[in-house]
């Protein structure tokens, strides 16, 4: 019979680090955000108002997967509601169980959640890559556990699939866009020496874990000079609410072979940045920016072309631009992937079911292609 070990204290995960690190490389389309390094650092800064529920699933004495969950209170128009879901908080695009057996991990995990004391008002598994990774596992596991999953589009993200060569990819872009990129490159080169510097340390295992805080500071310097310096939404690299977290994660990622920092230098001075993480050839873009005094020269465009060209050369498999802001990503993308959420509204929770009815009403108003569309999965 399968068994579940629930871990509710972040420090207790240290005993499972070797196991987690062994399962992660065997996880389909895994990203840095599914690493234990990510979770521990994130929890240190944002876990004080959440409850950890990491489920370690075993069968016949062998661990088959890990299902990281957390309960957080979210504000809705109907009032505060306790949500059980993945501890990603929309920092990345995709998430899911850890290990090579996601079907069994989800099935056992959902049954366990259904049978144990409910400390949540609704179950909401978000950031699901339904078409390339999940293949119906999440709603199937929820139904097996006696839950009714409701499907909803969560976000749209642009990606570059690096199946061929840089030359083949570049030829697939529009002629107008290629001319625009080359024009920006020429104009910047007229101002001085242009250099793309990419820092991707190989981590502690390779004795290459220098965080190079100077590069992080350069990115923040450029961000502060741009519109991001006056942003108040907390999503920018230099915002006070996330700056300390990202700075600490910078060193953690460097030690875990997960850091990917890119700077465009003009005569040695940074004028644009692309700050990313990576795991097994999948690059996750976090933040980008450029110095506005060079906006007429397209420094962000030039840097992005150099980053993608270098990624093809390195053998990266996918460049994930993240969710939202699709217009500026459109010239680069090869695909747009929709992420989904699967939500279960338990009958005893009146507030959760009012929220369900609200979503169903919105689906009738906005139609099936609207991101608020919700139907039984």
């Amino acid at each position: 019979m399968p068994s579940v070990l629930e871990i509710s204290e972040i420090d207790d995960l240290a005993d499972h680090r070797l196991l987690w690190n062994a399962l992660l490389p065997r996880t389909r389309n895994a990203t840095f955000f599914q690493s234990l390094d990510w979770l521990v650092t994130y929890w240190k800064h944002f876990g004080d108002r959440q409850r950890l529920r990491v489920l370690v699933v075993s069968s016949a004495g062998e661990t088959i997967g890990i299902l990281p969950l957390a309960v957080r209170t979210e504000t809705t128009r109907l009032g505060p509601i306790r949500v059980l879901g993945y501890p990603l908080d929309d920092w990345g695009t995709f998430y899911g169980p850890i290990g090579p057996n996601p079907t069994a991990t989800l099935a056992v995990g959902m049954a366990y959640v259904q049978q144990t004391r409910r400390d949540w008002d609704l179950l909401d598994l978000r950031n699901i890559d339904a078409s390339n990774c999940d293949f119906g596992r999440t709603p199937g596991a929820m139904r097996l556990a006696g839950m009714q999953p409701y499907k909803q589009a969560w976000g749209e993200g642009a990606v570059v699939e690096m199946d061929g060569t840089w030359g083949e990819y570049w030829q697939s872009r529009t002629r107008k866009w290629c001319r625009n990129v080359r024009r920006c490159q020429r104009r910047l080169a007229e101002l001085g020496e242009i250099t793309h510097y990419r820092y991707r340390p190989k981590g502690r295992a390779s004795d290459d874990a220098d965080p190079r805080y100077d590069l992080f500071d350069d990115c923040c310097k450029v961000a502060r000079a741009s519109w991001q310096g006056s942003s108040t939404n907390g999503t920018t690299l230099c915002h006070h609410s996330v700056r300390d977290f990202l700075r600490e994660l910078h060193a953690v990622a460097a030690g875990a072979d997960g850091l990917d920092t890119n700077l465009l230098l003009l005569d040695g001075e940074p004028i644009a940045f692309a700050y990313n993480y990576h795991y097994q050839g999948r690059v996750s873009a976090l933040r980008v920016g450029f110095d506005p005094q060079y906006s007429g020269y397209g420094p962000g465009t030039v840097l992005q072309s150099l980053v993608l060209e270098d990624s093809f050369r390195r053998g990266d498999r996918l460049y994930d631009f993240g969710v939202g802001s699709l217009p500026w990503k459109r010239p680069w993308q090869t695909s747009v992937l929709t992420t989904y959420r699967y939500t279960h509204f338990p009958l005893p929770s009146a507030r959760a079911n009012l929220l369900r009815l609200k979503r169903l009403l919105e689906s009738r108003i906005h139609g099936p292609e609207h991101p608020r569309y919700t139907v039984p999965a």
Side-chain angles (χ1 to χ4, degrees), residues 276-315:
N276 312 322
Y277 302 114
H278 76 96
Y279 186 75
Q280 291 190 332
R282 294 177 67 91
V283 180
S284 300
L286 186 74
R287 299 291 184 267
V288 296
F290 60 86
D291 191 324
Q293 67 176 307
Y294 300 101
S295 59
Y297 299 87
T301 297
V302 171
L303 177 57
Q304 192 61 67
S305 68
L306 294 171
V307 170
L308 289 175
E309 182 177 3
D310 185 67
S311 278
F312 272 96
R313 186 164 52 246
R314 288 171 179 262

Side-chain angles (χ1 to χ4, degrees), residues 342-373:
Y342 291 96
T343 310
H344 168 61
F345 304 89
L347 288 176
S349 176
R351 185 168 293 174
N353 279 279
L354 286 174
L355 184 60
R356 177 180 63 85
L357 293 174
K358 176 176 178 291
R359 290 188 190 174
L360 289 171
L361 178 61
E362 289 171 342
S363 74
R364 293 187 178 184
I365 295 173
H366 296 289
E369 299 304 319
H370 194 273
R372 292 183 178 181
Y373 180 57

Side-chain angles (χ1 to χ4, degrees), residues 2 55 101 148 168 189 221 293 307 331 377:
L55 308 183
N101 299 295
Q148 173 63 74
E168 291 168 339
K221 178 182 177 182
Q293 67 176 307
V307 170

Side-chain angles (χ1 to χ4, degrees), residues 248-271:
E248 181 174 347
L249 189 62
H250 179 82
V252 170
D257 185 23
L259 183 64
D260 183 55
T261 305
N262 296 267
L263 286 167
L264 187 68
L265 307 175
L266 174 60
D267 291 334
E269 290 297 318
I271 62 172

